Amino acid sequence: MGAHPSPRSPGAGGTPTGVPTAGDPGSGPAGGQSQDGLQAGLKNRHLSMIAIGGVIGAGLFVGSGAGISAAGPGILLSYALTGLLVVLVMRMLGEMAAASPASGSFSAYADRALGRWAGFTIGWLYWFFWSVVLAVEATAAGAILTGWVPAVPQWAWALLVMIVLTGTNLVSVGSFGEFEFWFAGIKVVAIVVFIVVGALAIFGLPPGDHAAGMSNLTGHGGFLPHGPGAILSGMLLVVFSFMGSEIVTLAAGESPNPVQAVRKAVNSVIWRIALFYLGSIAVIVTLLPWNDRAVAKSPYVAVLQSLDIPYAGTVMDVVVLTAVLSCLNSGLYTASRMAFSLGQRGDAPKSFATVNKGGVPAVAIWASVAFGFIATIFSYTSKDTIFQFLLNSSGAVALFVWLVICFSQLRMRRTLERETPERLTVRMWLYPWLTYATIGLIVFVVGYMFYDPDGREQMVLSVVAAVVVLAVGLILDRRRPRERAADESAAKVAERA
């Protein structure tokens, strides 16, 4: 069964066009299927674990060492500020998603609130980001598995995990949800155990030999050994590890009760970030000196080895592999659903908006996988050229997405209050002032990336990519009125004939 592209809202040029009614695409499932043809196969436990595990990416386990080296114990402030930013953005996104669940989430809301150009641009940039992530995670999974079974080449492992997870996504959304439930569950258990074991060691209880206390937080150059500016440098290193928090708002549309799922996810984002990010990083910088070489290389393994936990490296390899597979699984789902939404709105080939008998957008999945495969090939053949370009040109997409969410919420909130105030079951705090403050903070981070030598190339290439996609969107948008007029003229001629 195929889904036809949904009717576009008439608001062009950035005019808010309201929110869908109960019969519009994305307003929620009817029975076992949503209005746009996607199967409502995600259970509440799937969504709960997707929401919890979505903030725990592989970057937390393997990338946090670079942030600690850059900012010392002050990396806690970097994570706290970035976490606050994510909480505010998720609150805004939750307000819109609870009022109108949609497979395209923020891209669909940007389309309605800001104009077709905005939905087109941010939708394709987001798809590009997650398609590149597929290659990154497949390569990382291959590296870990080759370390365990050297006889199998890394590229073969990367190919295998891509094929397996593509298959699970093609079968049904329920199979994606089941895999993600267990992947996320392993990540959550690992982090909770790590925090509990670390906290015991900090206070001198087994498995620690003596109380570590707080000396590592203030020793070795102080809490901010590289000065206050390092907090911002740390933010640049950790900001992208939070990408994925928004996935639950895309997945909610394929659940029996999307509004409840979104509300629950948004309300729990604060404790999730506080526990998994701040809690685990606090354990690391409290137990070990921030400038320890082992911390820079693999902070979680360093902590476990310092506590004489047997097979610490192998245990963390398993956890990191799980996080990598989880990110790959979610990335494929997210990219395909964004492509599906773009197809629905006429911003991608119409075939992207079709679903198979299982209610899965198979064409959108294959298109995303194809790009991911090509990027994976480049990761082996042109790692320092083409693949590095793909990484850098998609690196700042998270900040662009957050900005678009902020501006969309500013306009969509007014429309909701005027037309359907009963849909505002989740509200942004201190609207509109806190939204303005969030925009200001994001713009400041963007500006600092241009200033920072390490972030400048990434930001410049990301802006170039955004400008190219925006230009394509504007050109297509100008052609559509002429195409519609030609179609209407042809139809009238046919009627007279």
Side-chain angles (χ1 to χ4, degrees):
M1 180 176 63
H4 299 287
S6 62
R8 297 289 305 218
S9 54
T15 302
T17 58
V19 293
T21 60
D24 288 329
S27 61
Q33 197 173 57
S34 62
Q35 293 288 340
D36 52 19
L38 296 174
Q39 193 69 31
L42 291 177
K43 301 176 182 178
N44 288 332
R45 64 181 178 89
H46 293 156
L47 282 173
S48 296
M49 199 56 75
I50 290 171
I52 295 172
V55 297
I56 310 173
L60 174 62
F61 297 107
V62 298
S64 52
I68 294 172
S69 297
I75 194 66
L76 286 170
L77 297 179
S78 302
Y79 272 106
L81 284 173
T82 309
L84 175 62
L85 195 60
V86 172
V87 167
L88 295 174
V89 171
M90 279 297 293
R91 188 74 187 182
M92 290 180 243
L93 180 56
E95 177 183 287
M96 296 183 288
S100 175
S103 58
S105 187
F106 52 84
S107 175
Y109 307 141
D111 189 282
R112 299 169 195 159
L114 305 177
R116 192 166 190 169
W117 62 270
F120 177 95
T121 303
I122 206 63
W124 277 112
L125 285 175
Y126 193 70
W127 177 87
F128 173 54
F129 172 86
W130 282 109
S131 297
V132 173
V133 166
L134 295 182
V136 174
E137 304 303 340
T139 304
I144 295 173
L145 291 168
T146 300
W148 295 347
V149 187
V152 180
Q154 184 177 339
W155 66 264
W157 282 121
L159 178 64
L160 179 61
V161 296
M162 286 277 278
I163 291 173
V164 171
L165 292 177
T166 299
T168 62
N169 274 267
L170 284 170
V171 170
S172 70
V173 70
S175 63
F176 153 76
E178 199 63 33
F179 268 77
E180 194 56 29
F181 175 82
W182 292 106
F183 285 153
I186 293 172
K187 291 189 295 183
V188 169
V189 169
I191 288 288
V192 170
V193 170
F194 178 85
I195 293 173
V196 171
V197 170
L200 292 174
I202 289 172
F203 294 105
L205 300 172
D209 296 324
H210 61 277
M214 303 295 159
S215 59
N216 285 323
L217 292 175
T218 54
H220 314 284
F223 186 74
L224 293 171
H226 300 308
I231 298 173
L232 293 173
S233 299
M235 285 185 69
L236 300 186
L237 292 170
V238 306
V239 67
F240 307 110
S241 64
F242 284 91
M243 196 71 160
S245 304
E246 72 290 337
I247 291 176
V248 69
T249 63
L250 282 86
E254 294 178 76
S255 69
N257 194 335
V259 175
Q260 180 183 357
V262 167
R263 190 186 304 123
K264 185 176 180 181
V266 170
N267 290 337
S268 65
V269 70
I270 296 176
W271 71 260
R272 286 186 277 131
I273 289 175
L275 175 65
F276 299 128
Y277 279 90
L278 293 179
S280 62
I281 297 298
V283 166
I284 294 170
V285 296
T286 303
L287 280 178
L288 296 177
W290 66 269
N291 52 0
D292 190 315
R293 289 185 178 180
V295 171
K297 183 179 179 181
S298 183
Y300 289 83
V301 172
V303 167
L304 295 179
Q305 289 179 336
S306 73
L307 300 176
D308 296 324
I309 303 295
Y311 307 107
T314 303
V315 169
M316 284 311 302
D317 275 347
V318 172
V319 174
V320 171
L321 177 62
T322 303
V324 165
L325 294 177
S326 173
C327 192
L328 204 161
N329 192 41
S330 295
L332 181 53
Y333 171 84
T334 305
S336 64
R337 278 6 180 228
M338 186 57 73
F340 172 81
S341 177
L342 288 167
Q344 269 198 317
R345 290 176 275 143
D347 290 334
K350 291 182 179 180
S351 58
F352 283 19
T354 61
V355 296
N356 61 19
K357 293 180 180 179
V360 171
V363 176
I365 290 175
W366 281 118
S368 304
V369 169
F371 189 92
F373 269 125
I374 294 171
T376 303
I377 293 172
F378 285 140
S379 73
Y380 291 104
T381 62
S382 310
K383 183 177 181 180
D384 298 326
T385 53
I386 298 176
F387 188 64
Q388 191 62 39
F389 171 80
L390 292 175
L391 287 177
N392 286 333
S393 58
S394 63
V397 168
L399 295 171
F400 300 160
V401 167
W402 294 349
L403 270 178
V404 166
I405 290 172
C406 292
F407 284 111
S408 299
Q409 188 264 343
L410 273 177
R411 305 199 72 180
M412 200 164 169
R413 172 67 172 266
R414 300 189 194 109
T415 306
L416 284 165
E417 288 179 332
R418 182 176 64 252
E419 298 179 3
T420 53
E422 69 279 2
R423 289 184 176 227
L424 279 170
T425 57
V426 175
R427 291 175 179 265
M428 176 59 181
W429 306 298
L430 300 177
Y431 169 83
W433 309 114
L434 205 48
T435 302
Y436 288 133
T438 307
I439 292 172
L441 181 56
I442 297 173
V443 170
F444 178 77
V445 173
V446 169
Y448 189 79
M449 282 192 72
F450 278 113
Y451 169 79
D452 185 76
D454 296 327
R456 188 176 301 130
E457 182 181 5
Q458 192 175 73
M459 179 54 71
V460 169
L461 288 177
S462 295
V463 169
V464 170
V467 169
V468 170
V469 176
L470 173 61
V472 172
L474 290 174
I475 291 171
L476 291 177
D477 208 27
R478 287 185 177 181
R479 287 182 178 178
R480 283 177 184 122
R482 293 196 296 268
E483 291 172 356
R484 284 196 295 270
D487 290 342
E488 290 173 0
S489 177
K492 289 178 181 179
V493 171
E495 286 175 5
R496 285 195 296 268

